[in-house]
Amino acid sequence: MKIGIGADHNGYELKETLKKFIEESTDHEVVDFGAHSGDAVDYPGVSFNVAEAISEKKIERGVLICGTGLGVAIAANKYPGIRAATAHDTYSAERAQLSNNAQIIAMGAQVIGPESAKKVVEAYLNVAWSGGSQRKVDQITDRESQFLDQNFKDAAKSSC
């Protein structure tokens, strides 16, 4: 499986640790979306790039890191069809995938230490969606589609 990983400058060091962990302890291929140093990088761009790569089926799952894990998840969730969940414990990481088919797990480098983060990523990558709460995921997807359809219609009306 191809795993995209990305972070802002606050998550850079944890991203590097998790990238190495995934490469060395799993059969997954890691695609690094930055940051590539500790220099300031805004998290929305990194989040959008990972979400887009998932949407385009260039990668299958993503791991995003910022200071809290909240900003990267919020940004990734703005991308249509993406479900990103912040998790700092193994149970939440598993449920993100099993119950919600989350394509992205998000963590905060200022919230979780490297050893715990490794366990969270391992828990997330070791489970696969098997239909879980399909009815609930469908409700989310349907609402998103309705919203996008309405905005498309509204934009078409205003451009005439």
Side-chain angles (χ1 to χ4, degrees):
M1 180 168 30
K2 277 190 177 180
I3 310 299
I5 192 165
D8 68 0
H9 54 285
N10 291 308
Y12 169 72
E13 287 184 28
L14 183 57
K15 176 191 69 83
E16 291 298 307
T17 297
L18 293 175
K19 181 171 103 175
K20 182 177 179 184
F21 170 74
I22 295 167
E23 290 172 338
E24 292 179 354
S25 66
T26 73
D27 293 331
H28 304 307
E29 178 184 342
V30 178
V31 180
D32 189 340
F33 287 83
H36 300 290
S37 73
D39 295 339
V41 172
D42 293 339
Y43 62 78
V46 174
S47 298
F48 298 152
N49 289 340
V50 170
E52 182 175 25
I54 289 171
S55 182
E56 293 177 352
K57 299 186 183 341
K58 293 178 180 176
I59 59 174
E60 294 166 76
R61 292 202 205 166
V63 176
L64 289 171
I65 306 144
C66 64
T68 63
L70 301 173
V72 288
I74 290 168
N77 280 318
K78 295 300 180 187
Y79 206 92
I82 294 299
R83 289 173 303 283
T86 301
H88 293 110
D89 61 86
T90 57
Y91 181 74
S92 297
E94 288 173 350
R95 296 319 308 174
Q97 179 60 22
L98 293 174
S99 294
N100 301 294
N101 195 16
Q103 306 103 318
I104 297 172
I105 195 83
M107 289 182 280
Q110 296 169 354
V111 177
I112 190 169
E115 294 307 312
S116 294
K118 289 175 187 177
K119 291 177 183 173
V120 168
V121 167
E122 182 178 47
Y124 173 67
L125 295 178
N126 282 339
V127 295
W129 169 255
S130 61
S133 301
Q134 185 67 56
R135 184 181 81 251
K136 296 171 187 173
V137 172
D138 288 345
Q139 290 173 37
I140 295 167
T141 303
D142 290 347
R143 181 63 175 160
E144 181 179 55
S145 293
Q146 291 169 3
F147 178 77
L148 291 171
D149 288 347
Q150 185 58 48
N151 280 341
F152 178 75
K153 290 174 187 172
D154 291 346
K157 285 180 191 176
S158 68
S159 67
C160 294

